[in-house]
Amino acid sequence: METEIRLESRYRPTEDVVAREVMGKILIVPLTSGIGDMEDEIYTLNESGRRIWDRLAKGHSVRTLIESLSSDFEAEAGEIERDVTGLMKELIKRRMIEEAPDA
Amino acid sequence: MNESFVSAVDIDDFALWDKIRDKRFPASFDIEITARCNNACGHCYINLPADDPDARAKELTVAEISRIADKAVSMGTIWCLITGGEPLLRPDFADIYLSLKRKGLLVSVFTNAACIKPEHISLFKKYPPRDIEVTVYGVTKETYEVVTRIPGSFSAFMKGLTALTDNGIRVRLKAMAIRSNVHELPQISDFCRERTKDYFRFDPMLHLRFDRDEKRNEMIRAERLAPEEITAIEKADPKRFHALMDNCDKYIFRNIPARGSDRIFNCGIGQWSFTVGYNGFLRICPALWHPDCMYDLRKGPLEEAWEDFIPQVLGKKTQRREYIETCGRCPIINLCLWCPAHAYLETGKLDLPVESFCKVAHARAAALKENIPDRP
């Protein structure tokens, strides 16, 4: 079933991964089993992915995140929303982020 | 925006390596969490008795290890190897392991597998290590226990290894080729290759004790194979011997420098890694135990050790002619066990040649040249 991304929600990194920065690159290192196919596998985010990750980790809601990225990239909010939710679905599928409980 | 935001990369292919190729960067560190071991192998350089109270008292605590690792991670370290002694002897092993994993380090473990308990299996299943390397001392009870000098150690090893492999935990096997097991090396090699197809290595080079205990050093010397035995077992392993031949130019330099180097440290140590000893002393490589080359991380920060102390040690020069005229200009130094660390363990000096190493290196060079006739 397709994961639904709720725009008013906040999402956060799960406890199954550790994200760290090494020489300007964000590395996502699997902590628990079943994240990657190989124990040597790590994940990197491109510049756009990194902006999304940073803001999610800071506790921005998806809507706030989309608005700020629209402003950064001077792009249509609809286009940004598709990209953001696309990445988020991929991260959820890989157990890298999860919906945070309401504060 | 780019449509592909996240990509999985094998750590060996990580673009970071291009950035750090030409500079010092602490990509990895080994941490010996104990110098104690449940086995008592005669060939081993670091295996104090399992119940040694002094060794236990000096061991870094979980909090101290965590503090050192935090610094390493802030400096960009990616890999960490937990070793010993036998690391699983520590009752707080899981705390140490998880503390390192939770910092985002890729953690490997060296163990003899005999201390594996169900709780270790659960830990490794839930939080997989990058790999676990297990040394196979023999594949029969007789040989294994002649090496370890502990009755019952073979069945404990087999039980631990089976538990690891049956639970799908990534294990790599390796062996030491020594006097006590060399008769069984082909069977050891088969045993290892059956279980870890992509990886197997054996090491015939034994270096002396970290504590320079002469009685124990005599035991290590007695376990060393003769040069011709070393070359014979290397030739008997086609994969290993072809790798030596393929890289012949790295092992036998075509030109001998007219003048020897007065620099002692000509290997790659201190460029991308460091070792943390059980007692909190940073060493530049696992074998370098000279007191002037160690830095007490209980007294000073890792950054200072990495940025100031290590370069200072690596810059050491010598006026000793015996070194400058031999090892300092030796074209087969890369086939030799000689390095300042091993020289210190053998002779008490960082810059003295070691005759027994020379003999092995020359035998290895002769074996290579026999198979590559065009080499001078």
Side-chain angles (χ1 to χ4, degrees):
Chain A
M1 200 176 76
E2 176 89 338
T3 309
E4 188 197 344
I5 303 293
R6 295 205 288 223
L7 298 186
E8 304 312 323
S9 291
R10 296 169 206 280
Y11 290 75
R12 63 184 181 189
T14 66
E15 292 187 353
D16 291 323
V17 294
V18 180
R20 19 179 326 213
E21 187 173 333
V22 179
M23 287 195 168
K25 281 271 192 192
I26 288 279
L27 298 189
I28 302 175
V29 183
L31 177 62
T32 56
S33 59
I35 302 281
D37 298 327
M38 301 280 290
E39 286 78 358
D40 258 2
E41 206 162 77
I42 53 171
Y43 297 84
T44 59
L45 295 172
N46 69 9
E47 187 49 39
S48 306
R50 183 199 167 122
R51 286 178 192 232
I52 296 169
W53 181 274
D54 284 347
R55 288 168 212 211
L56 286 172
K58 280 181 188 158
H60 291 198
S61 71
V62 181
R63 188 176 299 286
T64 311
L65 168 62
I66 291 166
E67 285 166 4
S68 65
L69 286 176
S70 302
S71 159
D72 286 358
F73 288 100
E74 296 178 355
E76 290 287 326
E79 185 192 338
I80 296 286
E81 182 177 329
R82 272 194 304 280
D83 283 345
V84 167
T85 55
L87 171 63
M88 291 180 64
K89 283 175 188 171
E90 196 177 339
L91 294 173
I92 289 169
K93 198 171 90 188
R94 293 177 191 259
R95 290 173 32 212
M96 291 177 178
I97 61 168
E98 63 189 359
E99 191 171 350
D102 291 335
Chain B
M1 287 171 79
N2 192 324
E3 283 185 6
S4 176
F5 302 98
V6 58
S7 44
V9 288
D10 186 284
I11 189 69
D12 292 334
D13 300 329
F14 187 33
L16 178 70
W17 310 137
D18 292 333
K19 289 189 186 176
I20 65 169
R21 202 176 301 268
D22 298 322
K23 58 176 162 182
R24 290 182 66 234
F25 173 79
S28 71
F29 71 95
D30 302 349
I31 184 155
E32 291 160 354
I33 62 173
T34 181
R36 296 175 294 120
C37 188
N38 51 304
N39 286 336
C41 305
H43 69 273
C44 185
Y45 70 98
I46 180 165
N47 60 349
L48 297 174
D51 56 357
D52 186 314
D54 291 340
R56 196 194 303 254
K58 287 179 188 160
E59 286 169 3
L60 289 168
T61 64
V62 180
E64 286 174 319
I65 292 169
S66 178
R67 182 176 52 79
I68 292 166
D70 277 337
K71 293 278 184 194
V73 165
S74 74
M75 292 162 72
T77 300
I78 292 170
W79 288 285
C80 171
L81 165 66
I82 302 178
T83 181
E86 172 47 51
L88 299 186
L89 273 185
R90 282 194 56 159
D92 53 2
F93 172 83
D95 297 330
I96 295 168
Y97 177 78
L98 277 180
S99 157
L100 296 170
K101 288 274 292 177
R102 288 194 168 120
K103 295 179 199 304
L105 289 163
L106 296 172
V107 180
S108 300
V109 181
F110 282 3
T111 174
N112 58 39
C115 299
I116 294 276
K117 294 183 183 139
E119 51 265 39
H120 295 124
I121 298 295
S122 306
L123 177 74
F124 294 142
K125 276 179 83 172
K126 184 165 183 191
Y127 302 99
R130 181 178 182 232
D131 53 32
I132 293 183
E133 275 199 17
V134 177
T135 306
V136 180
Y137 299 113
V139 291
T140 59
K141 181 179 185 307
E142 292 69 29
T143 300
Y144 192 95
E145 293 181 6
V146 163
V147 175
T148 63
R149 302 191 303 152
I150 298 290
S153 56
F154 181 66
S155 79
F157 151 72
M158 283 302 294
K159 196 174 156 201
L161 180 61
T162 305
L164 288 168
T165 52
D166 282 359
N167 282 282
I169 295 159
R170 189 186 193 193
V171 177
R172 292 174 144 185
L173 300 178
K174 59 186 176 182
M176 297 300 299
I178 59 176
R179 175 72 48 225
S180 294
N181 72 4
V182 68
H183 61 283
E184 207 168 278
L185 196 60
Q187 291 80 11
I188 295 173
S189 177
D190 290 346
F191 177 96
C192 295
R193 287 197 165 108
E194 275 166 24
R195 287 159 180 82
T196 49
K197 291 183 180 58
D198 63 329
Y199 179 91
F200 166 65
R201 65 187 167 97
F202 66 86
D203 189 356
M205 307 294 210
L206 301 181
H207 68 73
L208 297 183
R209 294 280 298 183
F210 78 104
D211 50 10
R212 308 198 68 229
D213 177 335
E214 191 44 37
K215 217 166 145 189
R216 293 298 308 270
N217 277 347
E218 271 311 306
M219 295 171 72
I220 295 175
R221 289 187 191 102
E223 287 290 358
R224 281 178 172 164
L225 300 179
E228 56 276 17
E229 288 176 293
I230 293 176
T231 54
I233 59 171
E234 283 182 339
K235 281 174 106 169
D237 183 335
K239 207 172 163 187
R240 184 183 178 107
F241 198 66
H242 281 122
L244 281 171
M245 288 203 295
D246 290 347
N247 292 294
C248 192
D249 282 345
K250 286 186 197 159
Y251 296 119
I252 304 177
F253 303 145
R254 285 185 182 269
N255 300 312
I256 303 173
R259 200 172 177 287
S261 168
D262 58 358
R263 286 178 62 96
I264 304 176
F265 291 95
N266 295 303
C267 58
I269 65 164
Q271 303 302 307
W272 299 289
S273 64
F274 60 90
T275 295
V276 180
Y278 72 103
N279 52 6
F281 278 84
L282 173 141
R283 304 198 306 279
I284 308 176
C285 90
L288 186 54
W289 288 88
H290 190 290
D292 293 348
C293 303
M294 298 195 290
Y295 181 97
D296 189 350
L297 291 172
R298 280 177 162 140
K299 292 187 178 156
L302 179 62
E303 295 95 322
E304 186 179 288
W306 181 260
E307 298 297 339
D308 302 329
F309 179 75
I310 294 179
Q312 190 186 316
V313 172
L314 295 181
K316 275 184 189 292
K317 291 187 174 181
T318 179
Q319 297 303 315
R320 194 185 296 277
R321 293 190 64 80
E322 287 157 280
Y323 168 82
I324 295 173
E325 294 304 319
T326 55
C327 306
R329 61 193 287 266
C330 178
I332 57 168
I333 191 79
N334 289 344
L335 286 172
C336 188
L337 188 58
W338 194 93
C339 69
H342 294 162
Y344 169 69
L345 295 176
E346 296 283 331
T347 69
K349 304 282 181 199
L350 291 167
D351 56 356
L352 269 181
V354 180
E355 198 188 341
S356 60
F357 293 172
C358 270
K359 286 180 180 164
V360 174
H362 282 284
R364 297 176 88 195
L368 278 177
K369 284 177 186 172
E370 253 174 46
N371 287 272
I372 309 176
D374 65 324
R375 282 306 303 246

